[in-house]
Amino acid sequence: MKKTISLICLIACTFIWGTTFIAQDSGMDHIGPFTFNCVRFFVGFLAVSPFVFLFEKRKINIEIKSKKKEFFKLILPVGIFLFLGCIFQQVSLLYTDVANSAFFTIFYVPLVPIIVYFLFSQKLHWSIWPSVVACVVGGYFLSDISNSLIRFGDGLVLMGALFWALHIIYIGKIINQFDLPFFIALIQNLLVAVFSFILVIIFEEIDFSKIKLETIEILYAGILSGGAAFALQIFGQKNISAAPAAIVMSLEGVIAAIAAWIILNQVLGLNNIIGCVLILCGVLLSQLAPVYKRNYK
């Protein structure tokens, strides 16, 4: 029963993350990408706050009291990498389709072990290299090479995938030292909102009447993606092993592509579909092969 509930939580989390791409895309009809990100993550900050007070209020001082320097040394890069990943992803949606942005974003999966290998000298599983090849070939099929704007947009997403990978690595580091998942989410949401606000001041204008027009999209991306999905992910991965969890989480790109087709009428051609399948296969191979080896050694 617990596994069934966890699986439902994980599917709901992946569905929210996949459909959030639609909110991100349509949420820029009246405001710029930096304004959308700023308001979205501030709403996410407010959405996570109750979880902190309910589950972690007493633990914060105990966990951080003697290791304040270590906490700030880790939470700052966590916030910066999340900010950069989100900014590149958000701006990319001005130039490329939702499916492209979603599938190029999940490039972070094979990128994580590669970065860990070069930064921390950890061994790479053999499956990483064919996974990267599958992702690169898939990227060729998915992207419209003849359209320079789409190529530019896809390039932005790939840059963002690098920062998503770094974010995941540093989240792993901070969560190993500090058992405060909701508080970490709270602070990283606040950091992204503040950094985005600086870009709003420099490049965009604050117009509350226009922000109000994107209320539904901002609330969806902020409350559901930034708040509820994070909680669902935690409960989902408590009783689900790595292999099925990897399969479910990788479906984020598929859900985004289907949602874009239904809601935004962004239809994928045969080459695009081949590209999506190759990227998905590459991502799954990089996650499932090491788990299979551990289980059947």
Side-chain angles (χ1 to χ4, degrees):
M1 186 63 181
K2 285 183 179 179
K3 283 192 174 183
T4 304
I5 294 171
S6 289
L7 183 61
I8 292 169
C9 288
L10 214 54
I11 291 169
C13 169
T14 306
F15 178 81
I16 292 169
W17 279 342
T19 51
T20 296
F21 278 93
I22 307 299
Q24 288 177 249
D25 187 59
S26 56
M28 293 188 291
D29 289 343
H30 302 96
I31 58 177
F34 306 138
T35 301
F36 182 85
N37 256 14
C38 175
V39 182
R40 168 198 173 180
F41 278 94
F42 182 69
V43 170
F45 167 78
L46 296 177
V48 174
S49 298
F51 292 103
V52 175
F53 284 105
L54 283 171
F55 301 111
E56 296 176 354
K57 188 179 179 182
R58 294 180 181 178
K59 288 170 62 180
I60 293 171
N61 285 335
I62 299 169
E63 289 273 340
I64 298 177
K65 191 174 181 181
S66 60
K67 298 189 288 185
K68 284 184 181 178
K69 285 186 179 179
E70 287 85 350
F71 181 80
F72 287 108
K73 279 181 182 178
L74 289 171
I75 195 64
L76 192 57
V78 161
I80 290 171
F81 291 140
L82 178 61
F83 160 71
L84 291 170
C86 289
I87 285 296
F88 278 107
Q89 184 187 79
Q90 192 65 40
V91 175
S92 76
L93 288 167
L94 295 172
Y95 303 99
T96 193
D97 292 336
V98 166
N100 288 43
S101 186
F103 274 95
F104 280 118
T105 294
I106 62 174
F107 261 60
Y108 70 78
V109 177
L111 277 177
V112 168
I114 292 173
I115 293 170
V116 168
Y117 171 75
F118 284 107
L119 288 184
F120 307 107
S121 301
Q122 290 186 16
K123 288 184 179 180
L124 281 176
H125 191 268
W126 64 265
S127 63
I128 291 302
W129 301 117
S131 298
V132 170
V133 171
C135 286
V136 170
V137 176
Y140 174 81
F141 279 101
L142 181 58
S143 183
D144 185 355
I145 302 301
S146 62
N147 190 319
S148 60
L149 282 178
I150 289 180
R151 285 205 314 272
F152 176 66
D154 293 342
L156 290 175
V157 190
L158 285 171
M159 285 293 295
L162 173 64
F163 294 115
W164 284 115
L166 287 165
H167 174 256
I168 288 169
I169 291 167
Y170 275 84
I171 277 287
K173 286 181 171 297
I174 196 170
I175 207 71
N176 282 336
Q177 291 192 44
F178 304 95
D179 184 25
L180 299 166
F182 292 113
F183 184 65
I184 291 166
L186 182 81
I187 300 301
Q188 72 173 8
N189 277 344
L190 182 61
L191 287 172
V192 176
V194 170
F195 291 143
S196 298
F197 182 67
I198 293 169
L199 292 183
V200 172
I201 294 171
I202 298 171
F203 298 107
E204 296 174 358
E205 60 177 3
I206 302 170
D207 189 331
F208 290 103
S209 62
K210 290 182 179 179
I211 292 172
K212 192 177 178 182
L213 295 172
E214 308 292 357
T215 300
I216 295 173
E217 288 83 357
I218 288 169
L219 291 177
Y220 192 95
I223 296 174
L224 289 180
S225 180
F230 184 81
L232 287 167
Q233 182 192 11
I234 292 171
F235 292 119
Q237 290 196 257
K238 274 187 176 180
N239 301 300
I240 297 289
S241 60
I247 294 172
V248 176
M249 304 293 270
S250 297
L251 292 176
E252 176 186 349
V254 177
I255 292 169
I258 294 170
W261 170 50
I262 295 171
I263 300 170
L264 303 177
N265 201 30
Q266 293 182 2
V267 182
L268 292 173
L270 179 60
N271 281 355
N272 304 129
I273 293 171
I274 292 171
C276 291
V277 171
L278 283 170
I279 292 172
L280 190 60
C281 288
V283 167
L284 290 176
L285 177 63
S286 71
Q287 292 297 288
L288 300 184
V291 174
Y292 180 85
K293 184 180 178 182
R294 283 198 299 270
N295 290 341
Y296 297 97
K297 220 170 175 178

